[in-house]
Amino acid sequence: MRKLTAIYPGTFDPVTLGHLDVLERASKMFDRVIIAASEGSAKATLFTLSERLEMLKSAAAKYKNVKAESFEGLLVHYAEKKDAKVIVRGLRAISDFEYEFQMALTNRKIFPELETVFLMPNEKYSYISSTFVREISKYGGEVSAFVPALVKRMLRRKYKKLREFK
Amino acid sequence: MRKLTAIYPGTFDPVTLGHLDVLERASKMFDRVIIAASEGSAKATLFTLSERLEMLKSAAAKYKNVKAESFEGLLVHYAEKKDAKVIVRGLRAISDFEYEFQMALTNRKIFPELETVFLMPNEKYSYISSTFVREISKYGGEVSAFVPALVKRMLRRKYKKLREFK
Amino acid sequence: MRKLTAIYPGTFDPVTLGHLDVLERASKMFDRVIIAASEGSAKATLFTLSERLEMLKSAAAKYKNVKAESFEGLLVHYAEKKDAKVIVRGLRAISDFEYEFQMALTNRKIFPELETVFLMPNEKYSYISSTFVREISKYGGEVSAFVPALVKRMLRRKYKKLREFK
Amino acid sequence: MRKLTAIYPGTFDPVTLGHLDVLERASKMFDRVIIAASEGSAKATLFTLSERLEMLKSAAAKYKNVKAESFEGLLVHYAEKKDAKVIVRGLRAISDFEYEFQMALTNRKIFPELETVFLMPNEKYSYISSTFVREISKYGGEVSAFVPALVKRMLRRKYKKLREFK
Amino acid sequence: MRKLTAIYPGTFDPVTLGHLDVLERASKMFDRVIIAASEGSAKATLFTLSERLEMLKSAAAKYKNVKAESFEGLLVHYAEKKDAKVIVRGLRAISDFEYEFQMALTNRKIFPELETVFLMPNEKYSYISSTFVREISKYGGEVSAFVPALVKRMLRRKYKKLREFK
Amino acid sequence: MRKLTAIYPGTFDPVTLGHLDVLERASKMFDRVIIAASEGSAKATLFTLSERLEMLKSAAAKYKNVKAESFEGLLVHYAEKKDAKVIVRGLRAISDFEYEFQMALTNRKIFPELETVFLMPNEKYSYISSTFVREISKYGGEVSAFVPALVKRMLRRKYKKLREFK
């Protein structure tokens, strides 16, 4: 019987409860899941790649078949190296969908065996975005409803440091 | 190791090359796939349930791990009976997505273990719809680019008969 | 100080927990709210107008400033008669939005003083639709998570009767 | 120099000011424009094909390069017969776009030389739909802001007759 | 009788006729309206916070129940401080809706009593965006159809200054 | 007989096969077509204006009625100078549509005679975006399926140079 490795890629800046919900669903569906932080070259991230990897490792720890990694360069090259045939993406909203659709078709053109599957998070997480979480956290707002406890602490520490440097 | 059974449900009135493309992708991803024609109570269909099942059986024949069935009633009840944990749906467009999103969240509420995964057909099939196929076929238009040969023959026969009955 | 009367119109075939959530929000925002079942000429409804009014009356009973009514004909004419300047609509999804947008601009053209306000239900009700509720109920599925207890009973009774008549 | 014939097809049940706005724009862009009422097999129309053709003829009268026709069967076959290489469609909203996109790609597959161009009506007509016009007119609402005078009269007459027949 | 304070927040860089149309509608619906310029930390604005406040004050002057303010930090904290229970937002298009939906649900999670209501501007303003206004103004284009006279003057002065500094 | 000049404007950073497909369609529809690279003030581009003009000139060379240009400032001013009455835009997706809709209505307000027409690229190019092409090329991915040969060479040279400068 074939064993499928799926990659759940993202910037994860930071990881939210919505991401973790999608991860849980993926872990039940595929033999092995790699949750992978991309370097995120295009946009400056709040957290460094190694900080984001730390978040992912904490999230992966509760599953036997999940591991956390980070990667640079193109997702399709990384998938090929890992011998992964499936990309997992969470779908929250229309705007997501458009972008995801383009990216999935582009990836497929480059690496035709690579299939993208879309999973839906629980509706209670459907509106959470890393961008809003950063914005709220920056002004000292409460983010317990949006991120795991570790990330909440990391956000507090990060913005404390950023304020001291100004 | 767990074995996953996925159901690919639809009205399939008739099956199109877009549906077959999604089926192919699903067959590579899950251990067993059931492509299942729903009775389609809400809307009158052109083809009877047994005609649509015939189309699905022809499509399933080329895969070892796919079988074709038909079902009445709620999809969630059918999935439960089949011990299937995954529903496969093809995503073509925004309008699809809205409806699919609602249906998937509703199904999840009733049967929480049931996960819906969305796959994308090849972009060359992204615009094909059963509705357009019926419309074109009705007026004697050419549908070879949209449906398999068997369905083309069944469409021709069906509309010939309908014209004779008028 | 002006007092605003708002109408929350709909087919309500049947009322869902999503509708009730929007009603609760409207009751806090406006001086008087009329939740009003439209006759629903265009599409045949499952429940009669008086059955739907019964559901709305049960929902209105817990608010001092809400009453339930039904109306025939155009919403704008009904609003004029009631001296209501506000129409309340719930927004769930894109497809909703398009249709609502058209209807609100059309109504405004006919009765310019009439303002449409859109409220969002709690995200846990964001996917509930009367159509799915009827479908599930028809096949004996569990609808407790989607409708109030009274509506659940009325659905069971209705489909029992429909089956007996076949 | 080539001369382009464009077809502006639709159900036009009835023609609205939005349709006329698109027609005006098309008449400036193409050498010849045929505004063509389709029989509209799929859905029962309020106006007969000859009534709708009457509306279109009245609209076409003010342009030297526009004529009105009606057609049965597939649009692509009709375009081929008329040696028309362009289909004109108005774009109002997202939901329009999805459907139009599918239809245009389907038509192109059958008749590759046929190009669909999308034009935008003036924003003041962007929300007008034949469906709402019928609904408003049915209940005696004022439709002067949505349709030309001829259509207003035809709507009044039509609904008067329908009421007498009940 | 309760009195409702509504906040109409935005970047207003600059205020457009579309914003003023929404403000007019809000002023008729709520007892007190605060139109509030957010500092807009995330993106660099063309106008300073005090320039944008000047625009808002000019707009508020014609209403007895409207005042203009500016705020830093999170909208939910500002609303709490002002004892405002309603956030007013204009809805123009799909892309708006998605973002607004996310923001409103996020705000509600943090401050559950805070309700977001969506109002539609007149369709003639439905396409105006501050971004396009800045772009047009930058190249000396005519913006009288998009912004009030004061803003037009401020745009001209601003770009004149920016050109001199280069 | 009037002769229509159409402008097909864009940033073209870089030109893709999707753009070329739209250009081909436009060249068949209008008497003269100018494919015009805008300076792209708002966002820093990868290629200089003269590099992008080089790509456009190469693309225009195969058509008798197409020429390539570049322009600064507002598109409406450029169209007026060129006595062009038509703007051509490709429509790929919903998100495109929203933005295009706003821009076309804004342009029309400033220069009412200017009509925007939307054409659809072949569905096999429907997902290609310049942004993804740059991203893929940056990491040495294969872009032959997305851009013409000249652009592929220019991308390789550009990123080689950028890496050397780091």
Side-chain angles (χ1 to χ4, degrees), chain E residues 81-97:
Chain E
K81 216 177 67 187
K82 290 286 161 178
D83 197 27
K85 295 298 192 309
V86 178
I87 298 297
V88 171
R89 300 288 294 168
L91 262 196
R92 286 175 319 181
I94 293 303
S95 44
D96 271 13
F97 174 61

Side-chain angles (χ1 to χ4, degrees), chain C residues 86-106:
Chain C
V86 178
I87 299 296
V88 171
R89 299 290 291 169
L91 263 195
R92 285 175 319 182
I94 292 304
S95 45
D96 271 13
F97 174 61
E98 286 297 322
Y99 174 83
E100 296 291 342
F101 198 78
Q102 283 198 320
M103 196 171 71
L105 287 173
T106 302

Side-chain angles (χ1 to χ4, degrees), chain D residues 1-4 21 25-32 65 85-86 91-94 97-98 100-102 104-105 108-109 112 114-123 126, chain F residues 1-4 21 25-32 65 85-86 91-94 97-98 100-102 104-105 108-109 112 114-123 126:
Chain D
M1 190 61 228
R2 92 213 107 176
K3 298 218 169 175
L4 281 179
D21 184 272
R25 296 173 193 284
S27 77
K28 287 183 185 150
M29 193 164 296
F30 300 104
D31 299 293
R32 281 181 297 259
N65 64 337
K85 294 298 192 311
V86 177
L91 262 195
R92 285 176 319 182
I94 292 304
F97 174 62
E98 287 298 321
E100 296 291 342
F101 197 81
Q102 282 198 321
L105 288 173
R108 185 186 281 170
K109 197 79 189 182
L114 188 64
E115 199 61 60
T116 303
V117 310
F118 298 101
L119 301 179
M120 275 184 328
N122 188 305
E123 69 275 12
S126 67
Chain F
M1 192 59 226
R2 90 214 109 173
K3 300 217 169 174
L4 281 179
D21 183 272
R25 297 173 192 283
S27 77
K28 288 182 184 150
M29 192 164 296
F30 299 104
D31 300 292
R32 280 181 298 258
N65 65 337
K85 295 298 192 310
V86 177
L91 262 195
R92 284 175 320 180
I94 291 303
F97 173 61
E98 287 296 321
E100 296 291 343
F101 197 79
Q102 282 198 321
L105 287 173
R108 185 186 281 170
K109 197 81 188 180
L114 189 63
E115 201 61 59
T116 302
V117 311
F118 298 101
L119 302 178
M120 276 185 327
N122 188 303
E123 70 274 12
S126 68

Side-chain angles (χ1 to χ4, degrees), chain B residues 6-7 9 75 79 85-89 107 114-118:
Chain B
I7 293 175
L75 173 60
K85 294 299 192 310
V86 177
I87 298 296
V88 171
R89 299 288 294 167
N107 286 341
L114 188 65
E115 200 61 59
T116 302
V117 310
F118 298 101

Side-chain angles (χ1 to χ4, degrees), chain C residues 5-7 75-80 83-88 103-117, chain E residues 25 29 120:
Chain C
T5 298
I7 293 176
L75 174 59
V76 287
H77 293 168
Y78 174 63
E80 212 161 9
D83 197 28
K85 295 298 191 310
V86 178
I87 299 296
V88 171
M103 196 171 71
L105 287 173
T106 302
N107 286 342
R108 186 187 281 171
K109 198 78 188 183
I110 302 176
F111 183 14
E113 293 163 82
L114 189 64
E115 200 61 60
T116 303
V117 309
Chain E
R25 297 174 192 284
M29 193 165 293
M120 275 186 327

Side-chain angles (χ1 to χ4, degrees), chain C:
Chain C
M1 193 57 226
R2 91 213 107 174
K3 299 218 168 174
L4 281 178
T5 298
I7 293 176
Y8 177 23
T11 311
F12 302 116
D13 183 42
V15 153
T16 67
L17 295 179
H19 296 133
L20 299 189
D21 184 272
V22 169
L23 180 63
E24 167 108 20
R25 296 174 193 283
S27 77
K28 286 182 185 151
M29 193 164 296
F30 300 104
D31 300 294
R32 279 182 297 259
V33 177
I34 304 172
I35 183 165
S38 74
E39 206 194 5
S41 57
K43 27 179 180 169
T45 56
L46 174 66
F47 290 101
T48 66
L49 189 56
S50 80
E51 286 169 330
R52 289 179 281 134
L53 184 54
E54 185 190 339
M55 294 173 193
L56 298 191
K57 281 191 169 155
S58 162
K62 62 181 279 209
Y63 304 102
K64 277 195 176 162
N65 64 337
V66 176
K67 70 174 175 180
E69 295 198 353
S70 64
F71 70 101
E72 295 178 42
L74 292 183
L75 174 59
V76 287
H77 293 168
Y78 174 63
E80 212 161 9
K81 215 177 68 187
K82 289 287 161 179
D83 197 28
K85 295 298 191 310
V86 178
I87 299 296
V88 171
R89 299 290 291 169
L91 263 195
R92 285 175 319 182
I94 292 304
S95 45
D96 271 13
F97 174 61
E98 286 297 322
Y99 174 83
E100 296 291 342
F101 198 78
Q102 283 198 320
M103 196 171 71
L105 287 173
T106 302
N107 286 342
R108 186 187 281 171
K109 198 78 188 183
I110 302 176
F111 183 14
E113 293 163 82
L114 189 64
E115 200 61 60
T116 303
V117 309
F118 298 101
L119 302 179
M120 276 184 327
N122 189 305
E123 69 274 11
K124 74 183 172 194
Y125 302 128
S126 68
Y127 58 91
I128 302 176
S129 82
S130 295
T131 307
F132 281 124
V133 165
R134 289 195 305 270
E135 185 77 5
I136 293 164
S137 205
K138 180 179 175 182
Y139 292 108
E142 175 54 54
V143 294
S144 302
F146 309 127
V147 296
L150 169 69
V151 172
K152 188 180 163 182
R153 282 195 304 274
M154 289 175 76
L155 279 162
R156 204 182 302 144
R157 228 181 304 143
K158 175 70 76 177
Y159 280 114
K160 192 159 169 285
K161 206 177 254 174
L162 288 173
R163 274 188 297 270
E164 288 167 1
F165 267 87
K166 275 205 225 173

Side-chain angles (χ1 to χ4, degrees), chain B residues 98-150:
Chain B
E98 287 296 323
Y99 175 82
E100 297 290 344
F101 198 81
Q102 282 198 321
M103 195 171 72
L105 287 174
T106 303
N107 286 341
R108 185 186 281 169
K109 197 77 187 185
I110 303 176
F111 182 15
E113 290 163 84
L114 188 65
E115 200 61 59
T116 302
V117 310
F118 298 101
L119 301 179
M120 274 185 328
N122 189 305
E123 68 275 11
K124 73 182 172 195
Y125 302 129
S126 67
Y127 58 91
I128 302 176
S129 81
S130 295
T131 306
F132 281 122
V133 165
R134 288 195 306 268
E135 185 77 5
I136 293 163
S137 206
K138 180 180 174 182
Y139 292 108
E142 175 54 54
V143 294
S144 301
F146 310 127
V147 296
L150 167 70

